[in-house]
Amino acid sequence: MNIQIVCVGKLKEKYLVQGIAEYSKRLAPYVKLTVHEVPDEKAPENMSDAEMRQVQEKEGDKIMSHIKPDTHVVALAIGGQLWSSEDLAAHMDKLGTYGTSTIAYVIGGSNGLSEAVLSRAQSKLSFGRMTLPHQLMRLVLVEQIYRAVKINRGEPYHK
């Protein structure tokens, strides 16, 4: 199975880069993981709704350029469904069983995802009602993907 993470912004914090590298290494025997970082749009602090949509659309266009037509898209969104680790594992297993070879998890920037990206997504996933920095969310997502793979394989999770 191929798993993509398409995200807005470049990771700068060393501890996040190291954490993602560790889980990516753990995932390597099981799945092909690729991360596509798209540049975030520069935006003023106090934007109008129209300016925010414009930023979302520009970032959304960049995100969509990394997603192929046959890819199953899961958008991370505050208003998405709340899944347990077991739910994520079951979702990934079901997709793999029925021939979906690529899943793209999409993480927007600080202004969220465009309507085009949300419309393209077959699933919308929320990690809770709390707002997390999108860079930290990337580490949490990679860890949960690793946990899901271990659940599906019936293997113990190594902390």
Side-chain angles (χ1 to χ4, degrees), residues 19-51:
I20 290 169
E22 175 62 28
Y23 284 108
S24 296
K25 181 177 81 174
R26 292 181 187 190
L27 277 166
Y30 308 111
V31 300
K32 181 181 178 204
L33 176 70
T34 55
V35 177
H36 302 283
E37 295 177 329
V38 303
D40 52 348
E41 287 294 313
K42 302 299 177 224
E45 280 296 314
N46 298 318
M47 289 186 286
S48 68
D49 288 345
E51 289 171 319

Side-chain angles (χ1 to χ4, degrees), residues 19 26 52 97 101 137 139:
R26 292 181 187 190
M52 188 179 329
T97 299
S101 61
M137 194 64 242
L139 174 59

Side-chain angles (χ1 to χ4, degrees), residues 6-122:
V6 185
C7 44
V8 175
K10 184 161 180 59
L11 266 186
K12 298 173 188 126
E13 290 81 2
K14 186 177 178 182
Y15 69 96
L16 293 173
V17 172
Q18 290 172 331
I20 290 169
E22 175 62 28
Y23 284 108
S24 296
K25 181 177 81 174
R26 292 181 187 190
L27 277 166
Y30 308 111
V31 300
K32 181 181 178 204
L33 176 70
T34 55
V35 177
H36 302 283
E37 295 177 329
V38 303
D40 52 348
E41 287 294 313
K42 302 299 177 224
E45 280 296 314
N46 298 318
M47 289 186 286
S48 68
D49 288 345
E51 289 171 319
M52 188 179 329
R53 278 192 302 277
Q54 189 175 32
V55 167
Q56 289 173 334
E57 287 170 11
K58 287 179 181 178
E59 290 174 350
D61 290 344
K62 294 174 194 173
I63 289 168
M64 296 293 278
S65 72
H66 291 282
I67 299 173
K68 294 180 181 172
D70 60 342
T71 298
H72 182 90
V73 177
V74 178
L76 275 63
I78 291 171
Q81 295 178 319
L82 294 170
W83 291 349
S84 66
S85 298
E86 292 79 11
D87 292 337
L88 177 62
H91 186 256
M92 289 172 55
D93 188 52
K94 180 180 174 187
L95 290 172
T97 299
Y98 292 101
T100 300
S101 61
T102 303
I103 304 170
Y105 293 92
V106 180
I107 304 171
S110 57
N111 294 302
L113 292 167
S114 70
E115 283 302 317
V117 173
L118 291 170
S119 295
R120 170 64 176 84
Q122 286 89 349

